[in-house]
Amino acid sequence: MGNDFHFACFFAAFVISVTCMVFTFTSKRTDKFQNKLYICMLIIVVLNSFSGMMIAIGEPMLSNVRSAMPVVLASQYSYFLLHNALCPVFFLYVSVVSGLAYKQSHLQRVLSSVPFFITEIMVFLNPYLKCIFYYDSNYEFTRSKAEICIYIVAALYFLMSILLLWFSWKAINARRRFAIVYFFVIVVGGVVIQFLDKNIKGELFAEALALMGLMLAVEMEDDLVDVNTGFYNRKALRMDVNNYIVNKTNVDLVCLKVSNAEIIQKVTGSANVDLLAEIVSDYLKSIVSRFHIYQTNPETFVLVLLDRKKLNGDTVADLLADRFNRPWGFRGMDILLNAVIMTVKLPDELTNTVDLFYMVDSVVPNKNETTVLYGKDLAHILRRGEMENAIARGLDENGFEVYYQPTFYLNGLKLHGAEALVRLNDPIMGRLFPDEFIPIAEQIGMIDMIDDFVLRQVCEFLKSGIPAQYGMENINVNLSVLQCLKPGFVEHICSIVDEYDVDKSTINFEITESIAASDYDRLSYVVSDLKKHGFCFAMDDYGTGYSNMQSIFSLDFDIVKIDKSLLWGAEETELGRIILGNSIKMIDQMGRRILVEGVETKEQLDMLKELSVDYLQGYYFSKPVPKNEFIEYIKQGKE
Ligand code: C2E
Ligand code: CA
Ligand code: CA
């Protein structure tokens, strides 16, 4: 094999690396630090393969053409000088891609460049020391012993890159991992082949191929950038933030949510949702570079601040808040936008990407003003996220449990029935109360499953015969109003109860008054339909809502449950007493039975005895307790 083959190897490397370069520049992937390092590696391979071709042409002419020597020597030196830089640059590239570069101290950076400078100094001294190579008297290229140092240094950088990869394995997505491992394998393969057979110039060819692999998998970020707005997308945010979290990098995130984005569509008459990005993009780019801006939803942007000392999240939040207090000029119009701005510090205040997306996707009400939320305020948003998980877990793993709280006749304080109240026992969050998880379950559409579970448990309990045995008339089951309005609701409820074959009149459904049902006609239809099937009905929490009295009392309830706040208010003021007394009188005149909730003391009980109330419920008698405890309780009452 002769120089022709050498030339072919170098030419192939040259063509591949130039092609990668052309692609990289035409697709404008040049502005990130990572891109710059990549281009740097490409330039090295392009120039090296060019030197290689010159050497392959020049060497056979050395004995005949005098002027060939300087050209060949210049090519050799350029080859060594540049090639020595390839592994260090690759090491830097891996540290940027893995995110560890942001964590390196200045000293670490200086230290890691020392071996590189040693090899460069060796090349510079080669004309005098001939420590790397020389041309012997027969114009033969001869390698010196010390050349091995260059290989050792290259191997050292490779090893350091492998270590980096090892430590940041979890921070890199599968595609990037694959590309970097591919790079290792191909390059090492090329070096080994060339080492075994000096005639096969495999090294550069392998490097060019490996760089092409990197381009296809790491540098091409088409799937990470929004084609319309040019900002990074959700996927990119997830990948990068995961990287920061795993590497425990100190960065601040600022999440900007425009709460009245629909105004843009109204003002411009355009249905294009990207207009918001168009309006704010220049301003955002004036704060941080484009590579640190992500657009996760049409109205949500996240800015990543890598250098807290230079610019921190709170400062940026204030800047943004200030800017959003002034109108935005767009197509000759002034548009005033409201925003909710949230800042968090990584890794302390945000420990996983799931929470990140709860923050990013949380629904913010339009408060007609711009608000800033700092990390600590986010706790409730993040808790909400955990709560959603807990609800799903509870449904999967039997975490829900029904508690019972007894109700009594005022007359003789005899047991009347019980209210079924759901609890959630979560392995992570502990025991959770319905006040917190029911509204969330309603929003995420899981309330129907919870209510079904409670109804089934109650049916099972009724079917056991125990409630009847102790003289209980019925068990109260809470219903979510939104549920009741769904088509097929009545059939669904009936099918569950029929499964257990229990008497429908022993189930008393409660619907809360405070939820303003917009569709009273439909609700009224559902209530009377369920009653036709034999169920009883109670209006819950009377006195907490501001619903239309006429509408609410047009519903066919058997019982009205007066909320504890009315009872407690009556103890405190004269006005409270008038309200409670007259509410009871009014409901009594309408011919509904009355239950008062929240009876905690003997005094309250005595006060109620003066009024025409039918039933009582409260901690004075018992808190809600698990089924077995409840059975014990009613057994004792009987004795
Ligand atoms: P609610 O229907 O008004 O239930 C009564 C709440 O008042 C219960 O809280 C009960 O523990 C509490 N309570 C009873 N007596 C007293 C008292 O003397 N003093 C005080 N301070 N509190 C008393 P809980 O169990 O936390 O339930 C809260 C709410 O969650 C319920 O209010 C109900 O709206 C909802 N909920 C509970 N279980 C279910 C369910 O299975 N399905 C649906 N859709 N909602 C439920
Ligand atoms: Ca209730
Ligand atoms: Ca209630």
Side-chain angles (χ1 to χ4, degrees), residues 419-421 476-479 509-512 539-541 561 597 617:
E419 178 174 5
L421 293 156
N476 294 17
V477 175
N478 292 283
L479 286 182
F509 288 118
E510 297 186 4
I511 296 183
T512 169
M539 179 209 292
D540 203 356
D541 300 338
K561 295 184 76 170
E597 286 188 321
Q617 177 180 352

Side-chain angles (χ1 to χ4, degrees), residues 482-495:
L482 294 170
Q483 274 314 103
C484 303
L485 299 178
K486 281 196 182 160
F489 177 73
V490 174
E491 293 75 15
H492 178 70
I493 292 289
C494 290
S495 75

Side-chain angles (χ1 to χ4, degrees), residues 405 419-423 433-435 438 447 451 454 478-480 510 540-541 564 568 597-600 617-619 624:
Q405 185 181 31
E419 178 174 5
L421 293 156
V422 70
R423 300 287 179 266
F433 283 86
D435 278 336
I438 293 281
I447 186 69
D451 282 352
V454 174
N478 292 283
L479 286 182
S480 149
E510 297 186 4
D540 203 356
D541 300 338
K564 39 191 172 290
W568 298 346
E597 286 188 321
V599 182
E600 293 187 342
Q617 177 180 352
Y619 291 177

Side-chain angles (χ1 to χ4, degrees), residues 1 5 14 28 74 139 159 162 216 236 278 304 316 322 365 421 451 455 474 490 513-514 517 530 536 538 561 575 596:
M1 269 187 278
F5 181 66
F14 183 77
K28 297 201 183 80
Y139 301 107
L159 211 68
I162 290 174
L216 293 177
E278 215 178 307
V304 173
V316 170
D322 192 50
L421 293 156
D451 282 352
L455 182 58
N474 45 30
V490 174
E513 182 241 31
S514 57
L530 278 172
C536 295
K561 295 184 76 170
L575 181 64
V596 177

Side-chain angles (χ1 to χ4, degrees), residues 1 4 30 37 63 85 107 339 364 417 487 585 593:
M1 269 187 278
D4 285 352
T30 53
L37 290 172
S63 51
L107 183 70
V364 295
K585 208 177 282 168
R593 283 171 283 153

Side-chain angles (χ1 to χ4, degrees), residues 4 40 82 88 103 132 163 231 245 338 341 344 349-350 352 402 424 448 513 535 567 582 636:
D4 285 352
C40 190
L82 287 169
K103 285 187 68 190
I132 300 175
L163 280 180
F231 287 131
I245 290 174
N338 302 326
I341 301 155
V344 257
E349 291 172 347
L350 199 72
N352 55 64
V402 177
L424 173 53
D448 45 346
E513 182 241 31
F535 295 105
L567 171 65
N582 284 289
Q636 276 165 16

